[in-house]
């Protein structure tokens, strides 16, 4: 399997000692572009269901979020987070 991990350009994502397996591709997003980060789109979907909700405790909020996450399946996550630019970036990099 090939795994693509998208990262922002935070300094903590760079290391001279990091050993990346051959089946892992690090895809760095442009600086200051959280809108192209798939996790931001996933959280946007979760937060959409939080509108007008009120929780008495932090634990109630956690339970609500877990219930929302449990409703997500692979195809839903792919439809929320999938972008052609990831494949385009791989083709441009001559990855095969």
């Amino acid at each position: 399997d090939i795994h693509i991990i998208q990262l922002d350009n935070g300094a903590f994502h760079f290391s001279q000692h990091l050993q990346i397996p051959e089946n892992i591709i690090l895809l760095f997003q442009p600086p200051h572009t959280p809108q192209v980060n798939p996790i931001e789109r996933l959280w946007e979907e979760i937060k959409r269901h939080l509108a007008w909700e009120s929780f008495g405790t932090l634990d109630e909020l956690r339970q609500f979020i877990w219930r929302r996450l449990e409703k997500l399946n692979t195809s839903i996550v792919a439809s929320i987070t999938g972008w052609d630019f990831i494949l385009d970036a791989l083709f441009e990099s001559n990855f095969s």
Side-chain angles (χ1 to χ4, degrees):
D1 291 341
I2 299 293
H3 301 278
I4 302 168
I5 301 174
Q6 183 174 341
L7 306 164
D8 61 22
N9 280 292
F12 43 84
H13 289 138
F14 296 91
S15 171
Q16 295 177 355
H17 306 290
L18 185 61
Q19 295 179 353
I20 303 167
E22 289 185 18
N23 68 329
I24 302 289
I25 298 169
L26 300 181
L27 179 62
F28 287 91
Q29 70 189 43
H32 311 292
T33 56
Q35 67 274 15
V36 300
N37 189 337
I39 194 63
E40 297 295 339
R41 291 192 62 188
L42 185 61
W43 280 119
E44 185 179 303
E45 173 66 17
I46 298 299
K47 289 188 287 186
R48 185 171 65 86
H49 296 281
L50 287 172
W52 303 106
E53 293 289 338
S54 179
F55 303 98
T57 67
L58 184 57
D59 193 49
E60 289 175 7
L61 171 61
R62 286 184 185 122
Q63 289 175 13
F64 178 86
I65 291 173
W66 273 117
R67 284 194 301 272
R68 293 302 314 163
L69 290 171
E70 287 172 343
K71 291 182 179 185
L72 300 176
N73 60 38
T74 303
S75 63
I76 292 172
V77 171
S79 73
I80 295 169
T81 62
W83 281 311
D84 290 338
F85 83 87
I86 294 174
L87 290 177
D88 292 344
L90 292 175
F91 290 129
E92 290 295 322
S93 71
N94 295 320
F95 177 80
S96 57

